[in-house]
Amino acid sequence: MPEDPHIHVEVNVVRADAAVRNVVASAFGLAADLPAEVRTGCGLRVPYAMTSARPESVTCLACREHAHREHLRFAEQVAFVDVVPGMSVGGSLSAAAEHRRLARRFAGG
């Protein structure tokens, strides 16, 4: 099988493992190794180095569509938390807006 030249997104684009790793590293001083390969939004397994969370870097159309949907879905979940009585979390509306911006960038807009 020929090598895939595209840049992909991780299947869990909203909760990208590198971001979680950075939080744990800064909070506890621990740094786990990143996986050599990851599952992508288009269903492939690719080297971690062939993925990006930056919309402008992702060249796989299926991954861009996946990331668009996932960021919109997550934005709705975060925004919902702010309207449920007793569940308000500071900054949830701005977080929802940021994920909507990311979704637009993945859609090319």
Side-chain angles (χ1 to χ4, degrees):
M1 180 167 142
E3 283 193 36
D4 180 9
H6 294 289
I7 302 299
H8 300 270
V9 295
E10 289 185 62
V11 70
N12 298 319
V13 66
V14 174
R15 165 201 85 68
D17 290 335
V20 172
R21 178 183 179 271
N22 290 342
V23 169
V24 171
S26 65
F28 302 108
L30 304 171
D33 291 336
L34 290 171
E37 285 189 343
V38 295
R39 215 168 51 123
T40 66
C42 67
L44 296 177
R45 288 193 67 79
V46 300
Y48 177 76
M50 294 300 291
T51 65
S52 177
R54 291 185 56 242
E56 297 77 17
S57 299
V58 177
T59 59
C60 172
L61 181 58
C63 279
R64 290 181 70 87
E65 292 169 351
H66 170 78
H68 171 77
R69 286 189 310 271
E70 288 298 301
H71 280 290
L72 284 178
R73 184 184 60 75
F74 190 71
E76 293 307 312
Q77 289 177 343
V78 171
F80 178 75
V81 168
D82 205 57
V83 297
V84 175
M87 288 188 66
S88 183
V89 177
S92 61
L93 290 181
S94 64
E98 178 58 28
H99 281 280
R100 286 187 187 105
R101 279 192 291 279
L102 276 169
R104 279 193 303 276
R105 287 172 55 199
F106 274 110

